[in-house]
Amino acid sequence: MTLFSNTSFDNHEQVMFVSDPETGLKAIIAVHSTALGPAVGGCRMWDYKSDEEAIRDVLRLSRGMSYKNAMADLGIGGGKSVIIGDAKTQKTPELMRSFGRYIDSIGGRYITAEDVGISVADMEEVRKTTPYVAGLESGDMATGDPSPYTAHGVFMGIKAAVQHRLGQDNLNGLTVSVQGVGHVGYYLCKELKEAGANLIVADINEQNIKNVVDATGAKVVDTNDIISQEVDVFAPCALGAIINDETIPTLKTNVIAGAANNQLQEVRHGEILRQKGILYAPDYVINAGGIMNVANEVHRRPITPEQGMKNVERIFHTLMEVFEKAQKEDRPTGIVADEIAEARIAAARRAKAA
Ligand code: NAD
């Protein structure tokens, strides 16, 4: 595969290939940009079918973190790491500590955290060999589970989208469908219910459905039918790539605003939504609440949970800026968000070089 000319390579500052035969660790650490601060992004453990697949994934995710962190204005850059292997059978405390030693060797340019296949307990092992780790549950700066912060940010983003698209400054009486009521979806449903919204939910996990129905009285539909419900807002909080050629014709919503990462299967789907008059809240902008809170840990800024919640409300204004610019220029919201993020990163890079 190509590397320097790969779209996702996008001038990565550093990509480190790691191999430790003692522990079986095979990992890639990607630092996309430190222009705005140390690169922060989770570590994913996945049984990639090829090295190329792992490289593509780490570069795409690392670049994505730069954009997300720049848009949220956190004073941190973007990076990501992947450990190649089966998280169920190949992960050991020794392997995690070895991973930590490699993180340590780049002296704080990259700070790691949990992602798919990596738990808080794994990060506690990493902490034994490096201080460059966040997303912990113990320790003086630990900020704990990011999900309620992510959910609150999504809630504020839904309010912004409703105000922009429907001209209504509250959610009272509106109907919101939520695909996936796991960590984020559950907290989001509770906030939506308190704001007076009617809820329609679907999940493949029956216990998660029960929890949300007990807490909110939401109406439950089949997972195959959640995308095509007639609603004011559709909030994807489960899977990526659910906005695609097959699902777009079935949508009956004015707004798409949810927590799931990589909701658009392809960039062009953002333009199709725009043409249909559906307002799309770019996923990495609306779901930044969790990383906003983790950033406090990175900057060693003590913060109460109440202050943390208040902070993520900035997402409302960031999204409004994106919506208004996109409307004025007749362009998809995702493209407009990307350009704002790119401009911030480029300006910081120039300022550093000067
Ligand atoms: P989670 O695993 O706790 O919840 C996901 C839920 O989706 C689960 O209940 C699962 O059963 C359900 N689900 C899976 N397939 C489904 C399907 N086909 N139809 C309906 N439901 C399905 O994950 P989470 O932490 O709540 O995150 C949700 C999404 O938000 C993910 O895409 C994640 O990457 C993204 N996200 C999460 C955070 C965070 O702070 N947790 C931050 C940013 C982005």
Side-chain angles (χ1 to χ4, degrees), residues 68 145-148 150-151 179-185 202-205 208 223 226 236-240 259-261 287-288 290-291:
K68 180 172 187 158
D145 180 9
S147 307
T150 304
Q179 180 187 42
V181 288
H183 286 98
V184 178
D203 199 298
I204 51 170
N205 180 315
N208 288 356
T223 51
I226 189 74
C237 295
L239 316 163
N261 279 313
N287 73 15
I291 188 77

Side-chain angles (χ1 to χ4, degrees), residues 269-319:
H269 292 122
E271 172 58 15
I272 303 176
L273 292 179
R274 189 189 74 80
Q275 285 172 10
K276 284 178 71 92
I278 298 174
L279 181 63
Y280 168 65
D283 44 21
Y284 69 84
V285 184
I286 193 171
N287 73 15
I291 188 77
M292 284 169 107
N293 210 43
V294 167
N296 296 314
E297 208 172 319
V298 171
H299 292 304
R300 299 201 60 76
R301 221 168 19 216
I303 190 157
T304 63
E306 293 72 28
Q307 288 168 323
M309 281 291 182
K310 195 88 204 120
N311 275 347
V312 309
E313 296 188 356
R314 279 192 282 135
I315 288 175
F316 180 96
H317 302 286
T318 311
L319 274 173

Side-chain angles (χ1 to χ4, degrees), residues 156-189:
M156 294 307 295
I158 289 176
K159 286 183 77 166
V162 162
Q163 187 163 318
H164 184 80
R165 178 67 180 77
L166 304 174
Q168 183 170 324
D169 68 1
N170 64 72
L171 304 181
N172 204 12
L174 296 186
T175 302
V176 182
S177 55
V178 182
Q179 180 187 42
V181 288
H183 286 98
V184 178
Y186 173 80
Y187 290 113
L188 175 63
C189 284

Side-chain angles (χ1 to χ4, degrees), residues 321-342:
E321 191 189 332
V322 171
F323 294 153
E324 280 162 16
K325 194 165 190 297
Q327 185 178 34
K328 208 162 113 204
E329 298 172 1
D330 265 339
R331 290 188 318 140
T333 50
I335 303 276
V336 166
D338 283 358
E339 284 178 5
I340 297 174
E342 282 159 9

Side-chain angles (χ1 to χ4, degrees), residues 118-134:
I118 298 290
S119 66
V120 174
D122 298 325
M123 281 300 144
E124 294 292 352
E125 285 302 324
V126 173
R127 178 158 66 164
K128 291 179 183 166
T129 49
T130 183
Y132 303 121
V133 51

